[in-house]
C-alpha cells in the first residue's frame, strides 16, 4: 500500500467515524461503516441500529450488507469496499462474505475494541479476527487494517459509552 492509497483509506474511515458518531447520537452503539464503489463513490452509509431498531443483528456492517444486497448485483459488490470504524465481528464478516464484497478496510482491531468495551454485555464480541474467518472461506476477500493514525479518532467516539 503506497502513501496515496493509505490516505484514501483514511479519508473513508474518517467518514465512517462520522457515521459512528451519528449512530451513538441516535441512541445506538458507536459503530459506523460505508460502502464505497469501484470509482471511489460512497454508495451507502450505515450506523449501528441494534438498540433503537430492536434488532439483535443490527450491527452497522450486517445492516449495510442487508441493504446493499437488495440494491446491487454480486458481481458489482465484489468490486466494492466496505469501510468500518472497527474490525467487523464474526457475524458481520459472515455478512460481508455472503454479500460478496471484495474488500474490507477497518480502523481499529477487534482486540483494541475489546479493550474499550470490556465486559459490557452489549458487546461481548467473540475474539475472532476477520482474517481468521476469511482464511477458512472460499473467496479471496482482501482485508486492510488496522490504521494506527486513525485510532484516536475512532476511540474518541467510544469515550464514556461502555461500562
Ligand atoms: Zn458485527
Amino acid at each position: 500500500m503506497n502513501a496515496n492509497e493509505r490516505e484514501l483509506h483514511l479519508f473513508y474511515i474518517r467518514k465512517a467515524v462520522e457515521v459512528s458518531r451519528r449512530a451513538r447520537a441516535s441512541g445506538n452503539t458507536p459503530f459506523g461503516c460505508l460502502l464505497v464503489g469501484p470509482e471511489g463513490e460512497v454508495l451507502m452509509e450505515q450506523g449501528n441500529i441494534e438498540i433503537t431498531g430492536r434488532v439483535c443483528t443490527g450491527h452497522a456492517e450486517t445492516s449495510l450488507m442487508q441493504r446493499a444486497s437488495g440494491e446491487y448485483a454480486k458481481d458489482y459488490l465484489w468490486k466494492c469496499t466496505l469501510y468500518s470504524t472497527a474490525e467487523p465481528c464474526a457475524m458481520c464478516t459472515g455478512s460481508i462474505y455472503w454479500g460478496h464484497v471484495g474488500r474490507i478496510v477497518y480502523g481499529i482491531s477487534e482486540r483494541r475494541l475489546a479493550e474499550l468495551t470490556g465486559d459490557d454485555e452489549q458487546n461481548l464480541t467473540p475474539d475472532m479476527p476477520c482474517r481468521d474467518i476469511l482464511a477458512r472461506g472460499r473467496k479471496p476477500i482482501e482485508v486492510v487494517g488496522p490504521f494506527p493514525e486513525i485510532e484516536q479518532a475512532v476511540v474518541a467516539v467510544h469515550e464514556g459509552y461502555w461500562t
Side-chain angles (χ1 to χ4, degrees):
M1 178 170 36
N2 65 38
N4 285 344
E5 288 167 338
R6 200 170 180 90
E7 266 316 303
L8 198 58
H9 288 324
L10 289 166
F11 170 80
Y12 290 117
I13 298 170
R14 278 189 207 100
K15 283 183 174 293
V17 170
E18 288 313 306
V19 178
S20 76
R21 194 185 309 282
R22 292 201 297 275
R24 180 174 178 172
S26 73
N28 290 288
T29 58
F31 297 102
C33 68
L34 309 174
L35 183 67
V36 175
E39 310 302 328
E41 65 278 41
V42 176
L43 301 172
M44 280 185 181
E45 298 180 345
Q46 180 69 53
N48 179 288
I49 55 167
E50 65 186 291
I51 298 175
T52 61
R54 299 177 63 87
V55 50
C56 65
T57 55
H59 290 189
E61 305 96 312
T62 291
S63 303
L64 183 143
M65 289 314 309
Q66 288 169 344
R67 290 171 56 208
S69 65
E71 295 218 12
Y72 302 105
K74 275 191 165 182
D75 288 353
Y76 180 73
L77 287 170
W78 184 252
K79 293 181 268 182
C80 296
T81 301
L82 187 142
Y83 284 89
S84 188
T85 51
E87 182 178 356
C89 74
M91 172 182 74
C92 291
T93 302
S95 299
I96 296 162
Y97 179 89
W98 289 114
H100 208 60
V101 168
R103 186 167 63 172
I104 298 169
V105 182
Y106 64 85
I108 66 169
S109 72
E110 188 72 52
R111 286 180 181 156
R112 178 68 184 97
L113 175 66
E115 290 172 13
L116 301 173
T117 60
D119 293 329
D120 192 300
E121 287 194 5
Q122 189 69 41
N123 202 72
L124 292 175
T125 189
D127 179 18
M128 179 58 72
C130 68
R131 285 180 177 87
D132 289 6
I133 297 169
L134 294 170
R136 301 279 192 108
R138 300 167 67 182
K139 300 176 182 183
I141 295 173
E142 184 186 352
V143 180
V144 186
F147 286 82
E149 306 97 308
I150 204 78
E151 179 174 329
Q152 206 175 359
V154 172
V155 168
V157 186
H158 290 255
E159 262 165 27
Y161 185 85
W162 306 103
T163 54

